[in-house]
Amino acid sequence: PHIACANHPDSEGFFQCRYCGGDFCGRCVHKEEGFYRCNRSPCVKVFRAHQKIPRKSVPTAAVGIHSSPHFESLVAKNYPSFPKKESDSPVTVARFASVAEANLAKSKLAGYGIGSFVADEAVGSLYSKGNTFLEGIRLQVRTSDAEKVLKILDSLGPAHPKRQRKTGEPAGACRYCGKILNLKEAGREPGPLHCRKAGCRKAYRAEMKRLTRACPFCGTKVPYPQVFCGKCGAKIPEIQLELKQGTARVLVAPVEKWDFGSAFLLWLALVSVENIPGLIFSGSHFLRGLLPDTNWLEWIFLLSLAPCLLLAVDWTRRFQFLSWLGALRHLGYKAPNPRQLLAAILILVPILAGDFLGFQAYQQEGVLIQLKTRWVLQLWHILLGAGLFEETIYRGFLFRFLRRGRSFFSAAALTSLLWAITHLYHAMPIGGPWHDDAPKTLVLLFQVFVDGMVGAFVFERGGYNIWGWMLAHIGIDISSLLNVSGGDFYVSSLPENWFDLGRWISVGLTVPIVLWVLPRPVKDGVSEEKGGKKPIPFLGNALVLRWKSILLPFVLASGFILSLFLISAQRLSERADENDWKKLMDSHSRYAGGYRKWAHDLWELDKDGAAVEKCRQALAVDPKNGKTWLLWGRILWDQKNYGDAVEKFRKAAEYSPKNAAVYLWWGYALEHEGKKEEAIQKYRMVLALHPDETAFMEYAGQKIDELKNAKLEHG
């Protein structure tokens, strides 16, 4: 005989509760060890008393969901009349045509503080057969909330699915994080509505993987929604799901994501504290027509790092309810991880090897490799600025907090982008009018972005330990202490950044190296205490909102100073550089070498006409200055005026007959004019001089062999 369910008169009650004896359908009972029990409050209390299980709060499907202003797409119909029940027992208040409509209603109720459950009418969960669900979708709430829910649902309008796709109106809430989604944002896979975030997709796949069906022909467990058996190939005739009630709950622990706008504001504040004092120091000198003292400028930048580091540690302490020591540990200052240090050393090997081979190749082409004059101060800048400051701010602080609720790639890309942007100061005339041009700056930004991705990977896989990539970062920057600008002769057929080849080789090897050496990391947002799975509290968004009234004016004022500097710095710095040279030459008017150095300075600033004029002034003082004739020839050679350049090199050889660099340039210019026999003679002059620069002899011999071989090949 047909026995109606006590909660659902339209369903059959196949299961009898052990405590009250009522008949219920499969949606209203829980199967325990050998018996069934219903979900009514008295029966649950008796069961807990017998089992000595502590009381737990009823799970809700809507955790952290906020109401949305658009609800025209909702269709609520067929409101049932329901019998009197216990206030906490579930009751169906509405049935919907689609999961999107039901989820939207659920999110609307969550905005009123009402918890609800969404399930398929037939099987008691949200799993479809293909793209269509088995039965209508029902919405359940507690009996005590039923009347209020019906009034709320009555106020919702009709559905407009076509307009919803065009306008992006909300389609429902993600099952796992509660985010309101439109149709474009929602995942296209069958089953529960979910967003595309990594955590929610992982939870979705894990839940779908647990749903298996037995093949009726061979008994093999087939995962849902697979249609064919993997063992015998038979098609599964129908879907039968065995699910516990209450599956519509949050499966991923809610981790508050740090809003990127808040992170960006704090980053701007840190960058302002780091750079604005140095820019003001340089700008004040430029306005007075003076060049700033580079040593003082370096120390100002180094001293400005201290408040930045203090702010980062203090913000970490406040965001996470930590002590000062705990904040340092959270930023990555833990006991060094030997395996992470080993990975960093393995990453450095190809970088340093590439630097060595690149420097050797430059030296063979006549470049003088030596330490820069201010290498000690720059070493401190690398240790404190690149090593301590940048790793603390960009790996320990920004990446660590942006990682909350985000995928690794998303957090690492955002952090690396911010890190790359800060290197735009290479294109600013901070110490004078000299700076990198646009192509060099773009290459540098790309290198820094890639290094940031690699650094975040090593940082996370090393257990959020800062020491590994800090070692690699310092090792990479150490090569900048060497001067590769060359001496009187530098003509290279190699790319200017040839020695960066080792870096790119190392980047390619980083992934297998780190995967091989380091274990998988712990999940971020989880406490590091042994066995702890409690989400770490986070106050970043609230505190940044509170500090916004102070930070925003400071950032805007810093942006105004930066804009003024960028607009006027190049012109003012060139004027200051000219004043500096004028001051020197006014007191040493007969110093021909001063005019030559001034000409070289102007040549580096791409002012060839002014550089040639200074060469003429130097020759007016000393017509026999061979280095000035050599520089004039190099300027003409850069302009591809090889004929005039040959004349200048001839003059340079006349007054500096023992300068091997003159004959190298002379031969190189003749070679470009097609006078290979004469070029060979000039290169042989280099071999006859036996210069102290042994690389000159190697290069001259190499060019002689190349020209002879080319002559033989052409008959």
Side-chain angles (χ1 to χ4, degrees):
H2 173 77
I3 301 176
C5 172
N7 291 335
H8 307 91
D10 57 339
S11 300
E12 294 185 353
F14 291 107
F15 308 98
Q16 189 176 52
C17 176
R18 177 178 184 176
Y19 299 106
C20 67
D23 297 311
F24 299 90
C25 64
R27 293 171 286 166
C28 303
V29 297
H30 275 290
K31 183 178 181 182
E32 304 295 342
E33 297 179 359
F35 65 93
Y36 295 88
R37 63 171 179 84
C38 69
N39 291 325
R40 289 180 173 178
S41 180
C43 298
V44 173
K45 290 180 181 178
V46 175
F47 169 75
R48 286 175 176 159
H50 288 173
Q51 299 295 323
K52 295 182 179 181
I53 297 177
R55 173 180 291 275
K56 296 182 180 179
S57 60
V58 179
T60 61
V63 177
I65 303 176
H66 303 285
S67 60
S68 173
H70 304 286
F71 290 96
E72 290 84 6
S73 61
L74 181 64
V75 174
K77 55 185 180 180
N78 299 329
Y79 299 124
S81 59
F82 42 87
K84 291 184 178 181
K85 302 169 64 176
E86 297 292 335
S87 61
D88 290 334
S89 59
V91 61
T92 300
V93 292
R95 293 182 177 86
F96 300 93
S98 70
V99 179
E101 296 164 355
N103 275 331
L104 193 58
K106 184 178 70 172
S107 64
K108 175 69 173 179
L109 296 178
Y112 287 88
I114 300 174
S116 58
F117 297 91
V118 175
D120 184 30
E121 182 70 21
V123 297
S125 186
L126 288 178
Y127 298 97
S128 66
K129 183 178 182 181
N131 293 323
T132 58
F133 285 78
L134 302 178
E135 293 288 343
I137 306 302
R138 58 188 173 88
L139 181 70
Q140 280 193 327
V141 298
R142 291 180 299 183
T143 303
S144 58
D145 296 329
E147 297 294 339
K148 182 179 179 181
V149 168
L150 289 177
K151 293 180 180 179
I152 295 172
L153 295 179
D154 283 333
S155 65
L156 303 180
H160 300 282
K162 291 184 179 180
R163 189 180 64 159
Q164 186 186 60
R165 287 188 176 88
K166 293 181 180 179
T167 61
E169 293 177 1
C174 174
R175 175 187 178 94
Y176 306 106
C177 70
K179 178 184 177 182
I180 303 297
L181 307 173
N182 56 40
L183 293 180
K184 295 181 180 179
E185 295 174 332
R188 298 181 180 275
E189 299 89 350
L193 189 68
H194 61 282
C195 63
R196 301 177 185 273
K197 290 191 296 187
C200 298
R201 292 175 62 187
K202 184 177 180 181
Y204 166 80
R205 289 194 295 267
E207 188 170 6
M208 297 295 281
K209 188 175 181 181
R210 289 196 300 268
L211 298 173
T212 58
R213 296 160 289 155
C215 176
F217 303 99
C218 65
T220 304
K221 293 290 185 179
V222 180
Y224 182 85
Q226 187 173 326
V227 182
F228 296 93
C229 176
K231 184 176 181 180
C232 65
K235 184 175 182 180
I236 309 301
E238 62 180 351
I239 299 175
Q240 295 181 357
L241 304 176
E242 296 181 1
L243 299 173
K244 294 181 180 180
Q245 185 166 342
T247 55
R249 64 182 183 275
V250 177
L251 300 180
V252 181
V255 176
E256 185 181 0
K257 182 191 296 186
W258 194 18
D259 177 52
F260 182 69
S262 300
F264 186 72
L265 180 62
L266 291 189
W267 171 75
L268 286 177
L270 289 174
V271 171
S272 300
V273 173
E274 178 195 7
N275 293 291
I276 293 302
L279 296 184
I280 293 176
F281 178 78
S282 295
S284 63
H285 281 73
F286 292 158
L287 288 172
R288 290 178 289 154
L290 302 174
L291 288 178
D293 187 301
T294 52
N295 290 328
W296 274 103
L297 189 60
E298 288 281 356
W299 279 113
I300 288 175
F301 274 110
L302 288 177
L303 292 175
S304 64
L305 301 180
C308 293
L309 292 172
L310 185 63
L311 282 173
V313 177
D314 183 55
W315 290 341
T316 303
R317 180 179 65 87
R318 294 171 182 269
F319 289 177
Q320 296 289 95
F321 300 101
L322 297 171
S323 63
W324 287 94
L325 184 60
L328 287 174
R329 285 182 51 82
H330 191 273
L331 291 172
Y333 290 95
K334 312 170 185 177
N337 183 341
R339 299 182 70 171
Q340 188 195 41
L341 294 178
L342 174 61
I345 293 172
L346 293 176
I347 291 170
L348 271 177
V349 168
I351 292 178
L352 298 180
D355 287 349
F356 174 77
L357 295 176
F359 290 142
Q360 188 179 41
Y362 277 126
Q363 194 174 30
Q364 289 176 354
E365 294 203 344
V367 181
L368 184 63
I369 307 295
Q370 57 187 358
L371 281 172
K372 294 181 178 178
T373 54
R374 296 185 299 111
W375 69 270
V376 176
L377 187 58
Q378 291 189 7
L379 178 61
W380 278 109
H381 194 89
I382 291 173
L383 294 176
L384 299 180
L388 182 66
F389 170 76
E390 291 187 357
E391 293 308 312
T392 302
I393 299 300
Y394 292 98
R395 245 65 65 190
F397 181 68
L398 285 174
F399 171 74
R400 187 73 193 273
F401 284 123
L402 285 173
R403 185 70 171 89
R404 299 177 63 94
R406 288 182 174 86
S407 64
F408 166 80
F409 182 82
S410 175
L414 291 174
T415 308
S416 302
L417 180 63
L418 296 179
W419 189 31
I421 291 174
T422 58
H423 285 72
L424 284 172
Y425 69 83
H426 284 268
M428 298 182 189
I430 298 175
W434 318 280
H435 53 83
D436 290 344
D437 55 17
K440 287 183 181 179
T441 303
L442 291 176
V443 171
L444 175 65
L445 296 185
F446 179 70
Q447 289 178 344
V448 172
F449 179 83
V450 174
D451 288 344
M453 299 293 291
V454 174
F457 189 46
V458 176
F459 177 71
E460 180 171 302
R461 290 302 295 263
Y464 301 103
N465 196 305
I466 204 169
W467 301 111
W469 184 248
M470 184 184 291
L471 172 65
H473 188 181
I474 292 174
I476 292 172
D477 287 359
I478 285 292
S479 61
S480 64
L481 297 178
L482 293 174
N483 186 0
V484 294
S485 60
D488 288 333
F489 178 79
Y490 173 38
V491 176
S492 176
S493 59
L494 301 174
E496 188 169 354
N497 291 325
W498 172 259
F499 58 88
D500 285 338
L501 178 62
R503 174 177 300 184
W504 300 117
I505 296 175
S506 181
V507 168
L509 295 175
T510 295
V511 174
I513 286 175
V514 177
L515 290 178
W516 172 52
V517 175
L518 296 177
R520 295 187 63 83
V522 296
K523 291 182 179 179
D524 194 21
V526 179
S527 62
E528 297 178 1
E529 298 178 2
K530 191 173 182 180
K533 294 184 178 180
K534 184 179 179 181
I536 299 174
F538 182 70
L539 286 180
N541 293 323
L543 288 177
V544 174
L545 186 62
R546 186 188 305 171
W547 301 335
K548 194 172 182 180
S549 60
I550 300 174
L551 291 175
L552 193 56
F554 174 71
V555 169
L556 292 176
S558 301
F560 178 72
I561 294 174
L562 176 63
S563 300
L564 288 179
F565 182 85
L566 292 177
I567 293 171
S568 60
Q570 181 64 23
R571 175 176 51 83
L572 294 177
S573 62
E574 289 180 3
R575 189 185 70 179
D577 185 48
E578 184 178 1
N579 292 341
D580 194 59
W581 280 112
K582 282 182 177 180
K583 183 179 178 180
L584 173 66
M585 298 314 300
D586 286 344
S587 58
H588 301 80
S589 59
R590 302 299 296 172
Y591 179 35
Y595 286 111
R596 179 182 62 83
K597 293 178 181 179
W598 192 353
H600 190 277
D601 192 0
L602 293 169
W603 178 41
E604 287 187 337
L605 292 174
D606 295 327
K607 297 183 177 182
D608 293 349
V612 170
E613 183 61 31
K614 298 306 173 186
C615 287
R616 288 195 177 101
Q617 291 183 14
L619 293 173
V621 176
D622 182 10
K624 297 181 179 181
N625 192 314
K627 286 192 173 183
T628 304
W629 288 108
L630 174 60
L631 176 60
W632 196 348
R634 292 178 66 182
I635 296 173
L636 293 171
W637 188 90
D638 272 356
Q639 297 173 349
K640 302 186 184 305
N641 190 353
Y642 301 117
D644 291 342
V646 167
E647 293 301 321
K648 300 302 181 286
F649 294 140
R650 181 178 288 110
K651 283 283 188 179
E654 180 181 348
Y655 299 118
S656 300
K658 294 184 178 181
N659 189 344
V662 173
Y663 295 99
L664 286 171
W665 277 107
W666 195 354
Y668 208 69
L670 290 170
E671 185 180 342
H672 277 74
E673 281 197 305
K675 301 176 181 180
K676 297 183 179 179
E677 286 294 340
E678 295 182 34
I680 292 175
Q681 292 179 8
K682 304 311 172 189
Y683 291 137
R684 283 175 177 167
M685 286 294 296
V686 177
L687 300 178
L689 289 173
H690 293 285
D692 294 335
E693 298 284 351
T694 56
F696 285 7
M697 297 182 64
E698 293 178 5
Y699 184 70
Q702 178 185 349
K703 296 301 293 184
I704 291 173
D705 293 338
E706 288 180 3
L707 293 175
K708 285 184 176 180
N709 292 334
K711 184 178 179 181
L712 291 174
E713 289 178 1
H714 293 84

